[in-house]
Amino acid sequence: MERFDPDRVAVRSAHFIGGQYVAGGAQTMDVRRPSDGRVYAGVPLADADLVDRAVQDAWRAWKTSNWARCAPRERARVLRRWADLIDADAQALAQLEAVGSTRPLRDAAAWDVPFTADGIRFFAEWADKIGGDIAPTRTDHLGMTIAEPYGVIAAIAPWNLPLVMASWKVAPALAAGNAVVLKPSEMTPFSVLRLAELAIEAGMPAGIFNIVQGDGQGAGAALCRHPRIAKVTFTGSTRSGAAIMAACAESGTKPVTLELGGKSPQVVFADAPDLERTVRTVARAITLNAGQVCVAGSRLIVQRAVADRVVERLVAVFAELRAGTTWDPEATLGPIIARREMDRIDGIVQRTIAAGGRLVAGGGPVDCGNDGAYYQPTILAGVDPAMDAVKSEIFGPVITVQAFDDEAEALALADHPDYGLAAGVHTADIGRALRLARGIEAGTVWINRYGRTADYVIPTGGYKRSGIGKDLGRQAYEANLRHKSVLVDFALED
């Protein structure tokens, strides 16, 4: 896809309730393009009254439409039509995604939009696959469990991959027969509005998929505490996840799915097949989306025998990257979401250096000739577990290096006291790979690779403070159903 003019991409600054765009909210917040720092729109911030309107509308739609009661294949047909419309609208969606987020147009067109559409298709196919079970009881009794939708589910999506993350939350909930009220990030609020429009065009009843705009303290908190919200699903920071759990508990307890922070290790053994390929995998795992992904492989743990060689090659691969706007087809490193986030990243780097860490590459902002925020791919060596860059989630293109001698030491270094979202293991020894996969406390372990592909059937989610529950896979669909037990006595009276 060629370069586009960001000033010609029109956005709708509104909420989406009952199948229509809705104005409202006492305040409006400026929204800046990460690529150049320019204000390009304002987003209305929903107050508690507007959140209540969106939730009540979704509740009415869920109770009065046929969405939850129809044959599951009917829901599946609507979802498949929705996915087809997303594919047909790929160019417009990719530009909407790129202009307001950190996602390069090239990646949004080739990955984000198709991944969103295919994910919806995946969950559509689960609509008639799980319905309940017959339980063994007396021969004159019938015992069964019935799977039913919750009702209205609140989905709170992050800014780093707006379309993809929204689809992870919305698609399984809708396929299971729920209504959804989505709150996108206030920093990337617009591309999902087009998704909602296309859902209506596909035949989804108005109100089944509503969107409210706003920040976490306002709209997000109001959603979590609303008595009509039966479940909350969220992707974001561990701190925000804890606040959501507390809000849900304060309002009558409700289940949550939380995909939270990570500090994921990439463990490289000396026998890793094709060391050059491994180095490029390691580099991509920390520079994809400029490191702004929860599963970013931010801790390189490398066997001492090849450590110098791996770091040398990693420096060279980092040097190949070129920072630039999301609409620049020559750029290979995108922006940081906001300047304050770049300053936070740099603060972690500088504190680590002051504590004794050694800067190997990068270590500061990149000037791209505009007001966007860009950060150099950075390598920090000579670190220990107490240093900020090793223990804290950075959410930027910064990787630390620690060396090990044997498998036991590698496993000890890979462990993190707080996080357990993902990990990578690179070795030609299948036994070692499986031992590490078993030994590392993480929700996902990749062997001789790093990162997701379009394997929707494989769930994602974390251990420890990295989250509760799963996105994707059968597990995500099942998490949007509750189960009712039914026992029937049909014995003849004596």
Side-chain angles (χ1 to χ4, degrees), residues 148-203:
E148 298 180 334
Y150 277 98
V152 183
I153 290 179
I156 302 176
W159 53 259
N160 57 335
L161 295 117
L163 286 172
V164 169
M165 293 291 98
S167 71
W168 284 19
K169 304 299 183 186
V170 169
L174 293 174
N178 297 283
V180 175
V181 179
L182 169 69
K183 190 200 84 66
S185 169
E186 64 275 21
M187 291 190 284
T188 55
F190 301 123
S191 58
V192 293
L193 291 171
R194 181 58 180 155
L195 279 190
E197 276 189 292
L198 295 174
I200 296 296
E201 189 176 335

Side-chain angles (χ1 to χ4, degrees), residues 234 236-244 260-261 419 465:
F234 167 78
S237 72
T238 296
R239 184 176 62 181
S240 296
I244 283 170
L260 306 177
Y419 296 116
R465 294 180 65 197

